Amino acid sequence: GPSGCDETCGSALEFDDCGICGGDGISCLPSLISLGSATESTVEVLYSSSTDIGGFQFGLDGATATGASGGAAGDAGFDVTVGSAAILGVSFTGASIPAGEGLLTVLEVTPTSESVCLADIVVSSTAATGLAFDAGACKVFDCVYDCAGVCNGDTTIDECGVCGGD
């Protein structure tokens, strides 16, 4: 019969995207924390990792986070804490986020700029060693800014050219 990539008679194994016979395509994923959609009230945080994640921390530029929920962090039972300087995700039970890619968490935010960026990313392995992760590109909020710079705000310029004037 046909032989797979392992050259065993009758095998149906194939090379994955990483070039590994019978692999699952995870071993060559980039180590990346990035942003998905960004609306006036939420920002998706995405991840890609070939290693299990034991914890994470990052800051935001362009928005103030007020809460976090869901995603792989929620599925793994992580406690995700939103502070004034950083968002911290950790498990107090020793759980981890499996290697792979997808939605890490969804942040509740208040925009402070027209775009949002990740800053100061720190990711640790399940053995509490640091992992090198890159940040994805900044995202422009999906909203229209009024003259006062408020996302989807309703402040207008009056007939004298004054923002919010009467």
Side-chain angles (χ1 to χ4, degrees):
S3 296
C5 58
D6 62 350
E7 298 185 16
T8 300
C9 184
S11 170
L13 289 179
E14 296 180 356
F15 288 104
D16 68 3
D17 292 338
C18 304
I20 297 174
C21 181
D24 57 10
I26 291 177
S27 65
C28 61
L29 288 175
S31 297
L32 181 69
I33 303 284
S34 61
L35 298 173
S37 69
T39 70
E40 68 181 281
S41 60
T42 62
V43 173
E44 293 178 333
V45 180
L46 310 174
Y47 77 102
S48 172
S49 178
S50 60
T51 306
D52 292 349
I53 297 173
F56 60 86
Q57 175 181 314
F58 56 85
L60 286 180
D61 290 332
T64 300
T66 58
S69 62
D75 293 345
F78 271 43
D79 288 312
V80 180
T81 304
V82 174
S84 60
I87 293 93
L88 173 68
V90 64
S91 169
F92 293 107
T93 64
S96 62
I97 297 170
E101 57 188 348
L103 179 66
L104 181 63
T105 192
V106 177
L107 300 176
E108 298 165 24
V109 298
T110 301
T112 58
S113 173
E114 291 188 15
S115 62
V116 61
C117 304
L118 292 168
D120 305 320
I121 295 173
V122 177
V123 179
S124 67
S125 70
T126 55
T129 58
L131 299 172
F133 267 69
D134 292 323
C138 298
K139 289 287 183 168
V140 174
F141 283 105
D142 184 20
C143 58
V144 176
Y145 287 86
D146 65 8
C147 64
V150 176
C151 179
N152 293 333
D154 58 4
T155 305
T156 60
I157 297 175
D158 69 7
E159 63 275 357
C160 297
V162 176
C163 178
D166 56 6

